[in-house]
């Protein structure tokens, strides 16, 4: 069961002017399942994205990068299939992804380069492009501005719940909307995940700001989550600004309007990222890791991820076992060569576990166990080296994680 996560209510998700979404059942991998989704973008929309750093990236990732490089400010459509990742498929996979773009472009009477393709699912199997293209007319016919919740369901793989959130902001006296969806539950690691996320706003944003915006939002959300330490072949996060809210275009984030919009964008991106962790494969605990008093943010990140990636730490959380020496061990091997262990302070929520590198004399095992039994836990580490800090979100590692991944292809 996901940790304190509920399915989105369609009526709570704000339509974004300039975006229509259609979903259909094409039988990509399984029958009677929503598995092909299209986003139709009005002319004048600006699009940017960031993608996996896995060198074995999927065919659609390669094509998206190409199309954004050549037509980033003229993208008019997005097509997403679940059930098949079209990764590890070589030249044939590229041809099939191109064919999907060609088919949608033909139906919409736009250029092929104005289509971004996305796939998620099983790796190293041929993409059933004929099923996808056969389903495109139905997806287009289904397109409505209110179909965000439906799209969140249509991009799921091992997710147990769809993930979607909205926020709004006042920008230049205009109310602007921000809505996004994501999917992902395993192979989650920084540099994104086996995840897809699509975030739209009707705010007017200068096109020159869009690439950096996508990276900034990813760094503050999706690149701060980890489930199992794996990095997928298909990670993608796309930001769309349709420029229909009527505000003067944002040209500088360091203004009142820029900050108001950025706050709404960041809120949705972080909720989507945290929802992936809450719905982690087999997860029973949601864990926030905070590392403080580092010399640089980068060394804080090293420590945070060492803790979050440790199977010993994660299984201890699953068992509600306050075997907290495992956390200290992870801090020690994180890669800070001159770390002074006598400066380390460790907290579990309100419980001060370790001080000056050793067990806090006031620490009681019962207090640690009380916190470890919670569904939501904060781990806080102070390095005693400076003023830098960071935080990330992770989950425990359970028996169900093994079962889900052992059975995934069946």
């Amino acid at each position: 069961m996901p940790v304190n996560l509920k399915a989105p209510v369609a009526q709570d998700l704000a339509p974004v002017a300039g975006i229509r979404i259609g979903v259909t059942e094409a039988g990509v991998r399984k029958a009677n399942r929503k598995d092909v989704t299209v986003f139709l973008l009005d002319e004048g929309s600006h699009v940017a994205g960031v993608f996996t750093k896995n060198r074995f990236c999927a065919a659609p990732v390669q094509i998206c990068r190409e199309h954004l490089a050549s037509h980033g400010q003229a993208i008019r459509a997005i097509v997403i299939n679940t059930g098949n990742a079209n990764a590890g498929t070589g030249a044939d996979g590229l041809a099939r992804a191109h064919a999907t773009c060609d088919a949608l472009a033909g139906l919409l009477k736009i250029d092929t380069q104005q289509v971004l393709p996305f796939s998620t699912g099983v790796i190293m199997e041929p993409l059933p492009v004929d099923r996808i293209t056969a389903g495109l007319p139905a997806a287009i016919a289904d397109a409505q501005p209110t179909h965000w919740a439906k799209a969140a369901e249509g991009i799921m793989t091992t997710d147990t719940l769809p993930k979607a959130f909205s926020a709004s902001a006042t920008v230049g006296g205009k109310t602007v909307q921000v809505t996004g969806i994501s999917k992902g539950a395993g192979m989650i690691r920084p540099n994104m995940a086996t995840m897809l996320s699509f975030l739209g706003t009707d705010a007017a944003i200068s096109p020159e700001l869009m690439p950096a915006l996508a990276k900034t939002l990813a760094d503050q959300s999706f690149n701060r989550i980890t489930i199992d330490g794996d990095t997928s072949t298909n990670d993608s996060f796309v930001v769309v600004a349709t420029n229909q809210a009527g505000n003067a275009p944002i040209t500088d984030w360091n203004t009142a309007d820029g900050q108001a919009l950025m706050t709404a964008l960041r809120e949705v991106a972080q909720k989507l990222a945290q929802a992936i962790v809450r719905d982690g494969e087999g997860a029973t605990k949601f864990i926030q890791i905070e590392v403080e008093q580092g010399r640089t943010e980068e060394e804080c990140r090293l420590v945070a991820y060492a803790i979050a990636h440790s199977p010993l730490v994660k299984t201890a959380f699953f068992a509600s076992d306050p075997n907290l020496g495992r956390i200290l061990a992870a801090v020690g091997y994180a890669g800070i060569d001159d770390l002074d262990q006598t400066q380390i302070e460790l907290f579990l929520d309100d419980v001060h576990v370790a001080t000056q590198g050793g067990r806090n004399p006031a620490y009681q095992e019962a207090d640690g166990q009380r916190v470890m039994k919670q569904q939501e836990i904060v781990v806080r580490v102070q390095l005693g080296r400076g003023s830098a800090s960071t935080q990330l979100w992770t989950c425990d590692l359970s028996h169900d994680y093994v079962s889900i991944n052992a059975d995934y292809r069946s």
Side-chain angles (χ1 to χ4, degrees):
M1 293 292 292
V3 182
N4 295 330
L5 179 68
K6 297 180 179 179
V9 176
Q11 292 81 358
D12 293 340
L13 300 174
V16 175
I19 299 177
R20 293 179 296 125
I21 305 169
V23 184
T24 194
E25 298 177 0
V28 174
R29 183 171 177 81
K30 297 180 179 180
N32 304 315
R33 178 176 178 175
K34 298 179 180 68
D35 54 12
V36 172
T37 301
V38 296
F39 280 63
L40 309 181
L41 313 180
D42 284 1
E43 190 172 357
S45 298
H46 303 324
V47 181
V50 291
F51 301 91
T52 182
K53 292 187 178 181
N54 191 317
R55 295 300 300 164
F56 221 99
C57 60
V61 168
Q62 298 174 54
I63 293 172
C64 281
R65 285 173 172 154
E66 294 173 3
H67 289 188
L68 281 171
S70 62
H71 284 70
Q73 307 312 323
I75 299 299
R76 296 290 308 281
I78 293 169
V79 55
I80 312 150
N81 76 268
T82 188
N84 185 300
N86 195 12
T89 48
D92 178 70
L94 286 169
R96 290 170 185 253
H98 277 299
T100 302
C101 293
D102 290 342
L104 184 55
L107 291 169
L108 299 176
K109 295 181 171 50
I110 58 177
D111 292 338
T112 295
Q113 291 78 13
Q114 292 179 289
V115 178
L116 298 181
F118 297 87
S119 297
T120 184
V122 177
I123 295 173
M124 287 190 68
E125 292 188 3
L127 184 75
V129 64
D130 291 345
R131 297 177 195 171
I132 294 171
T133 57
L136 289 177
I140 293 170
D142 183 63
Q144 297 290 335
T146 56
H147 281 177
W148 287 93
K150 196 173 181 182
E153 182 181 353
I155 64 174
M156 293 166 57
T157 50
T158 59
D159 310 62
T160 66
L161 287 175
K163 303 164 181 68
F165 298 94
S166 286
S168 62
T170 301
V171 178
K174 305 290 185 180
T175 299
V176 302
Q177 303 294 344
V178 179
T179 299
I181 62 172
S182 66
K183 63 79 51 182
M187 284 186 84
I188 303 296
R189 178 173 185 159
N191 299 327
M192 316 219 9
T194 185
M195 60 145 282
L196 301 178
S197 183
F198 304 90
L199 188 155
T201 179
D202 55 2
I205 302 173
S206 173
E208 290 78 13
L209 298 184
M210 292 295 292
L213 173 62
K215 183 178 186 305
T216 295
L217 291 174
D219 286 344
Q220 295 176 352
S221 58
F222 299 105
N223 285 341
R224 293 178 182 264
I225 61 174
T226 181
I227 287 176
D228 53 19
D230 264 309
T231 300
S232 172
T233 54
N234 292 60
D235 315 336
S236 303
F237 171 51
V238 172
V239 181
V240 178
T242 64
N243 300 287
Q244 294 199 16
N247 63 290
I250 298 295
T251 58
D252 182 357
W253 295 111
N254 295 315
T255 63
D257 285 341
Q259 288 297 301
L261 178 57
M262 181 64 79
T263 297
L265 292 165
R266 185 189 304 112
E267 176 187 338
V268 174
Q270 288 187 345
K271 284 183 176 179
L272 291 170
Q274 291 174 15
I276 289 173
V277 173
R278 293 181 182 280
D279 196 25
E281 291 169 344
T284 69
K285 308 281 179 67
F286 177 83
I287 304 158
Q288 179 167 303
I289 299 176
E290 301 175 353
V291 181
E292 306 167 345
Q293 300 180 8
R295 286 184 186 164
T296 65
E297 184 176 359
E298 178 55 30
E299 72 176 26
C300 292
R301 286 169 62 88
L302 286 174
V303 171
Y305 282 118
I307 297 168
H309 289 159
S310 167
L312 292 177
V313 171
K314 295 167 81 68
T315 51
F317 276 113
F318 171 65
S320 300
D321 176 16
N323 190 348
L324 303 174
R326 294 179 176 184
I327 297 178
L328 292 179
V331 174
Y333 66 61
I336 303 175
D337 293 336
D338 61 343
L339 183 68
D340 183 353
Q341 64 175 281
T342 67
Q343 299 299 308
I344 304 302
E345 306 288 327
L346 172 63
F347 301 81
L348 283 183
D349 279 5
D350 60 333
V351 178
H352 193 174
V353 174
T355 183
Q356 298 178 354
R359 183 184 179 117
N360 179 9
Y363 171 69
Q364 299 292 321
E365 182 91 352
D367 292 330
Q369 194 163 58
R370 168 179 58 80
V371 176
M372 293 288 275
K373 288 181 177 179
Q374 298 171 180
Q375 283 191 307
E376 303 207 18
I377 301 168
V378 176
V379 177
R380 183 159 57 95
V381 179
Q382 295 176 344
L383 301 179
R385 293 166 57 84
S387 59
S389 64
T390 197
Q391 66 178 10
L392 61 82
W393 306 285
T394 190
C395 60
D396 57 341
L397 197 60
S398 71
H399 303 295
D400 285 345
Y401 174 85
V402 177
S403 299
I404 290 167
N405 284 280
D407 297 338
Y408 180 57
R409 279 166 44 89
S410 60

